PDB file of all heavy atoms in Angstrom:
ATOM      1  N   THR D 275      14.615  49.356  37.886  1.00 62.00           N
ATOM      2  CA  THR D 275      13.407  48.989  38.630  1.00 62.00           C
ATOM      3  C   THR D 275      13.746  48.298  39.943  1.00 62.00           C
ATOM      4  O   THR D 275      13.132  48.565  40.979  1.00 62.00           O
ATOM      5  CB  THR D 275      12.523  48.063  37.776  1.00 62.00           C
ATOM      6  OG1 THR D 275      12.243  48.711  36.537  1.00 62.00           O
ATOM      7  CG2 THR D 275      11.211  47.758  38.480  1.00 62.00           C
ATOM      8  N   PHE D 276      14.746  47.427  39.919  1.00 57.00           N
ATOM      9  CA  PHE D 276      15.136  46.717  41.143  1.00 57.00           C
ATOM     10  C   PHE D 276      15.586  47.699  42.216  1.00 57.00           C
ATOM     11  O   PHE D 276      15.182  47.613  43.375  1.00 57.00           O
ATOM     12  CB  PHE D 276      16.264  45.729  40.820  1.00 57.00           C
ATOM     13  CG  PHE D 276      16.765  44.964  42.016  1.00 57.00           C
ATOM     14  CD1 PHE D 276      16.144  43.788  42.415  1.00 57.00           C
ATOM     15  CD2 PHE D 276      17.862  45.416  42.743  1.00 57.00           C
ATOM     16  CE1 PHE D 276      16.604  43.080  43.520  1.00 57.00           C
ATOM     17  CE2 PHE D 276      18.321  44.718  43.847  1.00 57.00           C
ATOM     18  CZ  PHE D 276      17.690  43.547  44.230  1.00 57.00           C
ATOM     19  N   PHE D 277      16.433  48.674  41.826  1.00 56.00           N
ATOM     20  CA  PHE D 277      16.919  49.671  42.786  1.00 56.00           C
ATOM     21  C   PHE D 277      15.757  50.513  43.299  1.00 56.00           C
ATOM     22  O   PHE D 277      15.645  50.783  44.502  1.00 56.00           O
ATOM     23  CB  PHE D 277      17.963  50.563  42.113  1.00 56.00           C
ATOM     24  CG  PHE D 277      18.497  51.660  43.011  1.00 56.00           C
ATOM     25  CD1 PHE D 277      19.608  51.444  43.801  1.00 56.00           C
ATOM     26  CD2 PHE D 277      17.872  52.899  43.051  1.00 56.00           C
ATOM     27  CE1 PHE D 277      20.105  52.454  44.625  1.00 56.00           C
ATOM     28  CE2 PHE D 277      18.353  53.896  43.872  1.00 56.00           C
ATOM     29  CZ  PHE D 277      19.469  53.680  44.656  1.00 56.00           C
ATOM     30  N   PHE D 278      14.869  50.930  42.395  1.00 57.00           N
ATOM     31  CA  PHE D 278      13.753  51.791  42.786  1.00 57.00           C
ATOM     32  C   PHE D 278      12.833  51.084  43.783  1.00 57.00           C
ATOM     33  O   PHE D 278      12.401  51.659  44.789  1.00 57.00           O
ATOM     34  CB  PHE D 278      12.973  52.215  41.550  1.00 57.00           C
ATOM     35  CG  PHE D 278      11.792  53.099  41.846  1.00 57.00           C
ATOM     36  CD1 PHE D 278      11.961  54.421  42.211  1.00 57.00           C
ATOM     37  CD2 PHE D 278      10.503  52.592  41.760  1.00 57.00           C
ATOM     38  CE1 PHE D 278      10.870  55.230  42.486  1.00 57.00           C
ATOM     39  CE2 PHE D 278       9.409  53.389  42.042  1.00 57.00           C
ATOM     40  CZ  PHE D 278       9.588  54.715  42.401  1.00 57.00           C
ATOM     41  N   LEU D 279      12.536  49.817  43.530  1.00 56.00           N
ATOM     42  CA  LEU D 279      11.637  49.070  44.417  1.00 56.00           C
ATOM     43  C   LEU D 279      12.266  48.825  45.783  1.00 56.00           C
ATOM     44  O   LEU D 279      11.615  48.996  46.819  1.00 56.00           O
ATOM     45  CB  LEU D 279      11.252  47.744  43.755  1.00 56.00           C
ATOM     46  CG  LEU D 279      10.306  47.826  42.555  1.00 56.00           C
ATOM     47  CD1 LEU D 279      10.110  46.438  41.962  1.00 56.00           C
ATOM     48  CD2 LEU D 279       8.968  48.423  42.957  1.00 56.00           C
ATOM     49  N   ASN D 280      13.533  48.406  45.793  1.00 57.00           N
ATOM     50  CA  ASN D 280      14.160  48.000  47.037  1.00 57.00           C
ATOM     51  C   ASN D 280      14.736  49.146  47.855  1.00 57.00           C
ATOM     52  O   ASN D 280      14.804  49.056  49.086  1.00 57.00           O
ATOM     53  CB  ASN D 280      15.270  46.974  46.754  1.00 57.00           C
ATOM     54  CG  ASN D 280      14.721  45.642  46.321  1.00 57.00           C
ATOM     55  OD1 ASN D 280      14.408  44.795  47.141  1.00 57.00           O
ATOM     56  ND2 ASN D 280      14.593  45.452  45.017  1.00 57.00           N
ATOM     57  N   ALA D 281      15.158  50.219  47.193  1.00 55.00           N
ATOM     58  CA  ALA D 281      15.787  51.303  47.922  1.00 55.00           C
ATOM     59  C   ALA D 281      14.836  52.465  48.203  1.00 55.00           C
ATOM     60  O   ALA D 281      15.110  53.271  49.089  1.00 55.00           O
ATOM     61  CB  ALA D 281      17.003  51.827  47.148  1.00 55.00           C
ATOM     62  N   MET D 282      13.726  52.532  47.456  1.00 56.00           N
ATOM     63  CA  MET D 282      12.839  53.678  47.631  1.00 56.00           C
ATOM     64  C   MET D 282      11.398  53.270  47.937  1.00 56.00           C
ATOM     65  O   MET D 282      10.846  53.627  48.986  1.00 56.00           O
ATOM     66  CB  MET D 282      12.895  54.562  46.366  1.00 56.00           C
ATOM     67  CG  MET D 282      14.268  55.165  46.084  1.00 56.00           C
ATOM     68  SD  MET D 282      14.280  56.206  44.608  1.00 56.00           S
ATOM     69  CE  MET D 282      13.187  57.523  45.131  1.00 56.00           C
ATOM     70  N   LEU D 283      10.789  52.500  47.062  1.00 56.00           N
ATOM     71  CA  LEU D 283       9.359  52.223  47.188  1.00 56.00           C
ATOM     72  C   LEU D 283       9.057  51.342  48.403  1.00 56.00           C
ATOM     73  O   LEU D 283       8.206  51.697  49.238  1.00 56.00           O
ATOM     74  CB  LEU D 283       8.837  51.575  45.904  1.00 56.00           C
ATOM     75  CG  LEU D 283       7.330  51.344  45.847  1.00 56.00           C
ATOM     76  CD1 LEU D 283       6.581  52.663  45.996  1.00 56.00           C
ATOM     77  CD2 LEU D 283       6.940  50.655  44.553  1.00 56.00           C
ATOM     78  N   LEU D 284       9.706  50.199  48.529  1.00 59.00           N
ATOM     79  CA  LEU D 284       9.402  49.282  49.629  1.00 59.00           C
ATOM     80  C   LEU D 284       9.703  49.868  51.012  1.00 59.00           C
ATOM     81  O   LEU D 284       8.873  49.739  51.916  1.00 59.00           O
ATOM     82  CB  LEU D 284      10.145  47.962  49.419  1.00 59.00           C
ATOM     83  CG  LEU D 284       9.680  47.122  48.225  1.00 59.00           C
ATOM     84  CD1 LEU D 284      10.487  45.828  48.131  1.00 59.00           C
ATOM     85  CD2 LEU D 284       8.182  46.816  48.317  1.00 59.00           C
ATOM     86  N   PRO D 285      10.848  50.525  51.220  1.00 63.00           N
ATOM     87  CA  PRO D 285      11.067  51.151  52.529  1.00 63.00           C
ATOM     88  C   PRO D 285      10.022  52.210  52.869  1.00 63.00           C
ATOM     89  O   PRO D 285       9.530  52.272  54.008  1.00 63.00           O
ATOM     90  CB  PRO D 285      12.468  51.771  52.399  1.00 63.00           C
ATOM     91  CG  PRO D 285      13.131  50.949  51.365  1.00 63.00           C
ATOM     92  CD  PRO D 285      12.062  50.603  50.395  1.00 63.00           C
ATOM     93  N   ASN D 286       9.662  53.046  51.898  1.00 62.00           N
ATOM     94  CA  ASN D 286       8.646  54.063  52.153  1.00 62.00           C
ATOM     95  C   ASN D 286       7.285  53.436  52.456  1.00 62.00           C
ATOM     96  O   ASN D 286       6.545  53.916  53.320  1.00 62.00           O
ATOM     97  CB  ASN D 286       8.544  55.010  50.956  1.00 62.00           C
ATOM     98  CG  ASN D 286       9.755  55.923  50.834  1.00 62.00           C
ATOM     99  OD1 ASN D 286      10.417  56.198  51.827  1.00 62.00           O
ATOM    100  ND2 ASN D 286      10.045  56.367  49.629  1.00 62.00           N
ATOM    101  N   LEU D 287       6.961  52.362  51.732  1.00 65.00           N
ATOM    102  CA  LEU D 287       5.702  51.670  51.978  1.00 65.00           C
ATOM    103  C   LEU D 287       5.685  51.041  53.370  1.00 65.00           C
ATOM    104  O   LEU D 287       4.671  51.092  54.074  1.00 65.00           O
ATOM    105  CB  LEU D 287       5.480  50.600  50.901  1.00 65.00           C
ATOM    106  CG  LEU D 287       4.193  49.788  50.995  1.00 65.00           C
ATOM    107  CD1 LEU D 287       2.972  50.701  50.894  1.00 65.00           C
ATOM    108  CD2 LEU D 287       4.152  48.717  49.917  1.00 65.00           C
TER     109      LEU D 287
END
Side-chain angles (χ1 to χ4, degrees):
T275 304
F276 179 86
F277 178 90
F278 179 74
L279 289 176
N280 289 273
M282 298 181 65
L283 185 59
L284 292 180
N286 289 334
L287 181 60

